[in-house]
Amino acid sequence: MWKKTNSLSHFTRLATTNSSSFNRHLNFKPFPNRLLQIADADNTHGSIIRSNSTGVRSSSSGSGKLDISGLDPVRAIGSTTDVINTTTFRAKEFVDIARNYAGCYWELSKAKLSMLVVATSGAGYVLGSGSAVDLAGLCYTCAGTMMVAASANTLNQVFEVKNDAMMNRTRRRPLPSGRMTVPHAVTWAATVGLAGTALLASKANLLAAGLGASNLFLYAFVYTPLKQIHPVNTWVGAVVGTIPPLLGWAAASGQISLNSWILPAALYFWQIPHFMALAYLCRDDYAAGGFKMFSLADPSGRRTALVALRNCIYLIPLGYLAYDWGITTGWFCLESTLLALAISGTAVSFLQNRTKGTARRMFHASLLYLPVFMSGLMFHRVYNNDEHQSLAAESTNKNMATSHTITAHEHDSKNTDKKKHNHSRPPVAYASVAPFPFLPVPIYASS
């Protein structure tokens, strides 16, 4: 009797162990309501039937074999939900990271300022083109300019990360706030700078690429350090602003002529009152950041206002020069003069009453001046002289063919006189002296 009982206990433990091992093998987890039912031996031949929630069922043939269908459907549904939730979480996390880096790149590039630079480069391209503008070339030039400007602005923030951290206006930028590391920003600047220069070299010409690279170097490695050394940085920054329209002109025409300096001259003189107003409004921040701005050495603000007014006055003759050099029609003279008088009026108001309100008014006037000036310059532009000469030559040849009244000798002499007249017309004599000290010396054709 003892042996039978002992054997039965041993069989029970063995069955329990085998059942546990079997359940682990099938990755089952016990549920409280899971039941084992022993069916009638006559109907099921002693086969074991598990409830519908299990993965083991009797075979349909009633042979008593176990049918293993796999995982528990309830657990399988739970696993699928977990996978979907995990995938959704990771996708959202990826989108958040991508959005964060995109925002950092946008701020590092100073996208709004870079788009203004692109606008001046595009205007230079249109002005340097003939009657038909190459849209593909314009797009390539603007894209290359955008990348070079983004690189220069990023390097500017890399060099000034400690200064930006001390200024209320800039302490939330990606580098001072710690949202991006300095090596990451340097890698971004190098990548877009090289890509932009290569794009200009391959799709425009080497002259445009050289101007883009020189502008990047001048802004990042000359203007940026000067901001902490001497107030002359404002005038160096103004020179930096004159290069993008020259870049656009060079990309379109392959050269830099005297006519190409009209828009750079406007940008140079425009930037002085624009920067002076900004420096006066933010001089407390600039002092905290350690920048040597002109307005910091002028407590009363009088010298700052005088410098701004003088450069506003320099804007007045630009419309007349554009007309005299054959770039625009006469209507642009009137429009340009009115614009220059308007911004000069805000400078006079700032000189008479040196407050933040008048400085802000001059700043807003400068923001309005530049796009209106560039729009008028492109709207009233005329074709270059070479196109006019070719059209005149074609009409002359047609008249000769129909009338037969002009001899070949007379025709040659007339063409020679026309060329002499066109080439001997000198540019404005005072173009190379104040208030245009940066323009090249006029070159006169020899007889």
Side-chain angles (χ1 to χ4, degrees):
M1 184 68 181
W2 177 84
K3 290 182 179 179
K4 291 182 178 180
T5 305
N6 192 20
S7 300
L8 181 60
S9 300
H10 177 72
F11 177 77
T12 304
R13 289 196 300 271
L14 181 61
T16 305
T17 304
N18 292 337
S19 177
S20 300
S21 176
F22 182 71
N23 287 342
R24 285 197 303 271
H25 178 70
L26 294 179
N27 200 17
F28 284 154
K29 291 185 179 180
F31 287 90
N33 294 328
R34 183 175 297 163
L35 300 176
L36 287 174
Q37 299 175 351
I38 302 177
D40 189 356
D42 295 336
N43 296 330
T44 61
H45 303 283
S47 61
I48 299 175
I49 301 177
R50 193 175 291 270
S51 63
N52 290 334
S53 62
T54 66
V56 182
R57 296 185 300 272
S58 62
S59 61
S60 59
S61 62
S63 62
K65 296 181 180 180
L66 297 177
D67 180 18
I68 302 173
S69 61
L71 296 177
D72 189 335
V74 175
R75 186 176 180 277
I77 293 174
S79 300
T80 305
T81 304
D82 292 341
V83 171
I84 294 175
N85 290 338
T86 303
T87 305
T88 304
F89 175 76
R90 289 180 179 177
K92 184 179 180 181
E93 186 179 19
F94 176 79
V95 171
D96 291 340
I97 293 174
R99 186 179 301 171
N100 174 66
Y101 278 114
C104 290
Y105 294 146
W106 179 273
E107 294 181 50
L108 285 175
S109 304
K110 298 181 182 177
K112 293 181 180 180
L113 177 61
S114 296
M115 286 189 285
L116 178 62
V117 174
V118 170
T120 61
S121 177
Y125 190 96
V126 173
L127 292 174
S129 302
S131 58
V133 179
D134 183 6
L135 294 181
L138 175 62
C139 293
Y140 286 130
T141 301
C142 290
T145 304
M146 183 70 182
M147 287 189 280
V148 171
S151 176
N153 288 322
T154 301
L155 291 175
N156 172 268
Q157 295 182 58
V158 168
F159 296 144
E160 295 180 350
V161 58
K162 294 182 179 179
N163 306 85
D164 289 344
M166 296 183 289
M167 300 170 61
N168 293 327
R169 188 170 60 92
T170 57
R171 64 179 51 178
R172 288 178 294 275
R173 286 176 175 175
L175 295 180
S177 63
R179 287 183 288 138
M180 181 173 285
T181 61
V182 171
H184 191 153
V186 172
T187 303
W188 160 254
T191 302
V192 294
L194 291 174
T197 305
L199 182 63
L200 291 173
S202 60
K203 297 299 183 179
N205 50 60
L206 293 179
L207 178 58
L211 287 172
S214 64
N215 198 28
L216 191 157
F217 177 83
L218 190 62
Y219 184 84
F221 299 99
V222 179
Y223 166 70
T224 298
L226 273 177
K227 291 172 67 178
Q228 304 177 47
I229 299 174
H230 197 275
V232 76
N233 65 80
T234 301
W235 284 265
V236 175
V239 173
V240 172
T242 65
I243 296 179
L246 287 178
L247 188 158
W249 186 290
S253 63
Q255 62 180 353
I256 296 177
S257 61
L258 184 63
N259 292 350
S260 65
W261 286 94
I262 287 295
L263 185 53
L267 280 165
Y268 180 87
F269 296 129
W270 165 82
Q271 286 178 96
I272 303 301
H274 177 79
F275 286 158
M276 290 299 168
L278 182 63
Y280 187 86
L281 290 170
C282 303
R283 55 181 177 178
D284 293 336
D285 249 6
Y286 282 127
F291 295 115
K292 307 295 182 182
M293 293 300 174
F294 185 81
S295 59
L296 298 181
D298 180 29
S300 65
R302 178 175 175 81
R303 293 175 59 196
T304 303
L306 285 173
V307 170
L309 177 60
R310 183 172 69 243
N311 284 271
C312 288
I313 294 175
Y314 290 163
L315 292 171
I316 296 176
L318 293 183
Y320 297 94
L321 289 177
Y323 171 69
D324 186 75
W325 293 353
I327 301 175
T328 63
T329 62
W331 283 104
F332 183 71
C333 297
L334 177 62
E335 296 175 3
S336 175
T337 302
L338 293 176
L339 281 172
L341 290 176
I343 192 173
S344 299
T346 60
V348 170
S349 177
F350 176 54
L351 178 62
Q352 294 176 345
N353 187 18
R354 293 178 295 278
T355 62
K356 287 190 174 182
T358 55
R360 188 174 292 106
R361 192 176 299 114
M362 183 173 68
F363 179 77
H364 291 160
S366 67
L367 293 179
L368 181 63
Y369 173 86
L370 187 60
V372 176
F373 181 88
M374 289 194 301
S375 300
L377 195 61
M378 290 186 290
F379 182 77
H380 295 290
R381 76 182 184 98
V382 297
Y383 301 141
N384 55 35
N385 291 333
D386 293 336
E387 287 182 334
H388 282 299
Q389 290 176 11
S390 62
L391 291 175
E394 290 178 3
S395 62
T396 302
N397 290 334
K398 289 181 180 179
N399 291 333
M400 287 175 58
T402 55
S403 61
H404 299 286
T405 56
I406 302 177
T407 62
H409 177 71
E410 291 175 343
H411 175 65
D412 292 336
S413 62
K414 283 189 176 184
N415 286 337
T416 302
D417 293 340
K418 182 184 293 185
K419 290 181 179 179
K420 283 185 178 181
H421 176 72
N422 288 334
H423 286 287
S424 62
R425 182 191 180 196
V428 179
Y430 53 85
S432 60
V433 297
F436 304 97
F438 54 87
L439 290 177
V441 177
I443 299 177
Y444 300 95
S446 57
S447 57

